[in-house]
Amino acid sequence: MVPTDIAELRTRAIDSLSQAGISDPDVDADLLIGHVLAQSRGQVQAAAILGTALDAADAATIRELVRRRCLREPLQHITGRAPFRSLELFVGPGVFVPRPETEQVAQFAIDALRALPDAEPIVVDLGTGSGAIALSLAVEVPNARIWAVENSPEAFPWTSRNFEQVAAPNATLVFGDLTDALTELDGTVAVVISNPPYIPTDAIPRDPEVRLFDPARALFGGPDGLDVVRHVSRTALRLLRPGGQIVIEHGELQGAQIRALLAADGWRVPATHRDYTTRDRATTALAPVPADR
């Protein structure tokens, strides 16, 4: 029997998603129903309690979205949106879906910027992807001047769309390779931040959503996963002023390797920081000052 009200459809959706291995099936069910009905999670839950009837066309659309999610298509690809800090960004095939743990990585840069006396500190986000980090910094530190670099032809349309949507006057998007980008800013930048590809080439991501749908160029960073990190380190040394800070997101087992890499490049006080799940998530360091060289 085809369900005719939100309560029954929601129950069946949760059951299907749970059987498919979705970690929070009730959350995803609510968000998929809410996406079709233009309702919040709370509104969906209230409608289920009230036994609100459902239009047959809407019910069919919801069942199709649930089917796609059961095949492990990312929720964000299905809805076309991904929340990140205070923003909601456009995402889809070709661009890396921003993760909650990256919100904390962005906080390191935000804290560093807010502690500076500069009237307009300059920040560079290398490999910005959807623009999540860059745009969050632009909105939350409005006196900063944000430059974001992306070189993926598949991701860049999503990045551009998000920059247009947020319309932060202090954020500039550049299409280009991070190895030689923004030479006009050399020696003037206060903070460089990056969430580069860091998965080793022969590693297989655990989650089907990552393995099957995230773009490979946003995931894999060479044999040890650190090829792009090495480029980020060198580019950041060029861009940052003496004492400026670098913030790099990485995998939970890469902290020691990245600290050693940064120390070998001449960075000062490299330190690795854990995320809210107590996993190593980001490493920071300070650019050398002339006496250190």
Side-chain angles (χ1 to χ4, degrees), residues 37-224:
L37 302 181
Q39 294 181 351
S40 67
R41 280 197 70 201
Q43 289 173 317
V44 170
Q45 292 166 355
I49 292 170
L50 294 172
T52 303
L54 197 61
D55 177 88
D58 287 339
T61 300
I62 292 167
R63 286 194 296 273
E64 171 59 16
L65 299 191
V66 170
R67 184 193 68 79
R68 290 168 58 188
R69 185 69 184 104
C70 286
L71 294 175
R72 304 305 290 265
E73 183 175 349
L75 175 71
Q76 298 89 344
H77 281 198
I78 296 170
T79 65
R81 306 298 290 264
F84 188 85
R85 295 182 69 91
S86 65
L87 304 175
E88 190 172 59
L89 303 170
F90 295 110
V91 295
V95 69
F96 184 76
V97 175
R99 304 303 201 261
E101 54 267 28
T102 304
E103 296 184 5
Q104 188 178 356
V105 178
Q107 189 67 49
F108 290 119
I110 291 169
D111 291 343
L113 290 169
R114 288 176 174 168
L116 293 174
D118 306 48
E120 293 184 328
I122 300 173
V123 187
V124 173
D125 177 14
L126 295 174
T128 194
S130 66
I133 292 175
L135 291 170
S136 291
L137 268 57
V139 169
E140 297 185 48
V141 192
N143 66 302
R145 294 165 54 201
I146 316 296
W147 294 77
V149 180
E150 179 54 51
N151 73 343
S152 166
E154 294 76 26
F156 198 76
W158 296 104
T159 324
S160 300
R161 188 176 178 188
N162 287 322
F163 268 71
E164 291 169 5
Q165 174 195 224
V166 176
N170 57 331
T172 302
L173 175 61
V174 175
F175 184 85
D177 193 280
L178 62 83
T179 58
D180 56 9
L182 303 174
T183 54
E184 68 274 19
L185 298 180
D186 284 0
T188 68
V189 177
V191 176
V192 169
I193 186 167
S194 182
N195 179 14
Y198 52 73
I199 298 175
T201 303
D202 60 357
I204 300 175
R206 291 188 298 267
D207 296 334
E209 290 85 348
V210 177
R211 186 172 64 251
L212 301 176
F213 293 95
D214 273 327
R217 68 186 299 161
L219 297 177
F220 298 104
D224 63 356

